[in-house]
């Protein structure tokens, strides 16, 4: 007789496939954040890895971002270790030069006749240059977009078939709102991270005293799964937040709290009290199965009756410091989860309760995309749930 634990168990999340460009299905058919705009100056390249693929980013002669395969055609050296000049990228090994299209435009070893200009086939034959920049192919180039202080890259096969536009940062450029970014590297996969970012029960333990303390309060909620989104609405107007909660709600106004997942990799958490509140928007870029860069935009608006604009300016360093401490607590717990996931067979086989219903919805959407997004996808659904914090 077989023991129940001997039954085959299927992991809820296939982190290996999710982060592999060849096996991630339709997950690659979206825009992913490659870097902050401020991380990409005009005169220096930047290395990034997305879906296990090495990219080099730099700004072309018009200042627009370019993303190429980070591997020189000549001897495969990392181009991200090279130089940018006049909107072109030079290899650190033999100095081969690429333009923003990925074409070779200069090979120093061939001498000055071809230096600084892209030769066509006729010019190559006339000058007797072998080999010449014109017939050496070009690097793979990936579409880029820049908006709201972020540079996005697209790794799918056809950018015209992208499943969505790049996500817009909440309240970016809106009067009265302050927006800043945090970039954080997590030792875990995208699905586990987005579940963590829109999970209330863990805050009483991982962020005890910093964000919320255990109160044994009943929290009725509604989970809505619709059109690639999972939205959790918490019907608890008197949520007892610590830390920033007291700063944003000195008048004790009712709380409007929602968490939302947007396929394939975005979360948005909103806490609103009247005219003040904050939104935490995180976009996850997969590096590898358990290695992810998360670009978090913190958007906040302080109560309008605070005494003067100087208060907001004075509080900004504190808000930045506070949010960095909280996210580092998530970094640690996500590494703790990853250690369990990778400790022998059975990792990733999850048990769940009613409090995990929205996580199951997230997993359903991401699994559907990973498997190629055939058919209509998970059906729309709306359910009431109750949990305690």
């Amino acid at each position: 007789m077989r023991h129940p634990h001997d039954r085959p168990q299927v992991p809820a999340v296939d982190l290996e496939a999710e982060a592999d460009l060849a096996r991630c299905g339709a997950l690659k058919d979206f825009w992913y954040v490659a870097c902050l705009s401020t991380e990409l100056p005009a005169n220096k390249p930047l290395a990034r890895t997305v879906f296990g693929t090495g990219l080099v980013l730099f700004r072309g002669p018009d200042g627009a971002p370019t993303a190429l395969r980070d591997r020189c055609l000549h001897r495969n050296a990392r181009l991200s270790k090279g130089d940018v000049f006049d909107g072109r990228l030079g290899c650190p090994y033999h100095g081969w030069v690429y333009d923003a299209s990925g074409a070779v435009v200069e090979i120093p070893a061939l001498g000055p006749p071809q230096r600084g200009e892209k030769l066509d086939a006729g010019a190559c034959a006339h000058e007797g240059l072998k080999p010449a920049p014109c017939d050496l192919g070009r690097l793979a180039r990936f579409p880029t977009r820049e908006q709201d202080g972020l540079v996005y890259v697209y790794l799918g096969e056809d950018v015209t078939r992208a499943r969505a536009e790049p996500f817009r940062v909440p309240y970016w450029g809106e009067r009265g709102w302050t927006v800043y970014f945090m970039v954080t590297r997590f030792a875990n996969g995208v699905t586990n991270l987005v579940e963590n970012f829109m999970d209330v029960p863990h805050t009483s333990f991982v962020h005890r005293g910093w964000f919320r303390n255990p109160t044994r309060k009943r929290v009725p909620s509604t989970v809505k799964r619709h059109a690639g989104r999972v939205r959790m609405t918490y019907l608890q107007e008197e949520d007892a937040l610590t830390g920033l909660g007291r700063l944003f709600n000195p008048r004790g106004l009712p709380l409007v709290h929602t968490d939302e997942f947007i396929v394939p990799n975005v979360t948005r958490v909103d806490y609103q009290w009247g005219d003040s509140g904050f939104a935490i928007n995180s976009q996850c870029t997969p590096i590898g199965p358990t290695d992810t860069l998360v670009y978090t935009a913190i958007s906040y608006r302080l109560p309008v009756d605070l005494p003067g604009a100087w208060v907001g300016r004075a509080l900004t360093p504190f808000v930045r410091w506070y949010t960095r401490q909280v996210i580092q607590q998530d970094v640690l717990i996500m590494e703790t989860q990853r250690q369990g996931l990778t400790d022998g067979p059975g990792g990733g086989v999850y048990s769940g309760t009613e409090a995990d219903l929205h996580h199951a919805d997230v997993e359903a959407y991401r699994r559907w995309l990973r498997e190629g997004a055939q058919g209509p996808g998970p059906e729309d659904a709306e359910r009431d749930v109750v949990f305690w914090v």
Side-chain angles (χ1 to χ4, degrees), residues 260-302:
E260 190 167 27
F261 164 75
I262 303 98
V263 295
N265 65 326
V266 179
T267 59
R268 174 173 173 171
V269 175
D270 285 79
Y271 286 87
Q272 194 78 23
W273 298 271
D275 55 21
S276 67
F278 57 91
I280 306 171
N281 165 226
S282 295
Q283 303 190 55
C284 302
T285 299
I287 299 172
T290 55
D291 195 5
T292 306
L293 268 182
V294 177
Y295 298 84
T296 302
I298 308 291
S299 308
Y300 69 91
R301 181 176 183 174
L302 294 167

Side-chain angles (χ1 to χ4, degrees), residues 4-84:
H5 290 172
D6 294 332
R7 290 196 299 264
Q9 295 178 312
V10 179
V13 180
D14 189 342
L15 295 178
E16 293 282 346
E18 285 189 358
D20 185 333
L21 192 62
R23 295 190 292 151
C24 68
L27 286 172
K28 66 179 178 295
D29 297 331
F30 294 83
W31 293 90
Y32 287 82
V33 179
C35 64
L36 304 180
S37 293
T38 55
E39 292 180 296
L40 193 62
N43 59 352
K44 188 176 181 181
L46 180 68
R48 282 291 185 263
T49 301
V50 183
F51 285 109
T53 303
L55 308 177
V56 56
L57 291 100
F58 67 100
R59 294 192 181 275
D62 59 354
T66 287
L68 304 176
R69 190 72 165 88
D70 192 10
R71 188 166 61 198
C72 182
L73 295 173
H74 183 212
R75 289 296 184 269
N76 290 188
R78 289 294 189 196
L79 293 168
S80 55
K81 300 293 185 181
D83 298 305
V84 175

Side-chain angles (χ1 to χ4, degrees), residues 60 193 361 372:
L193 292 176
D361 287 344

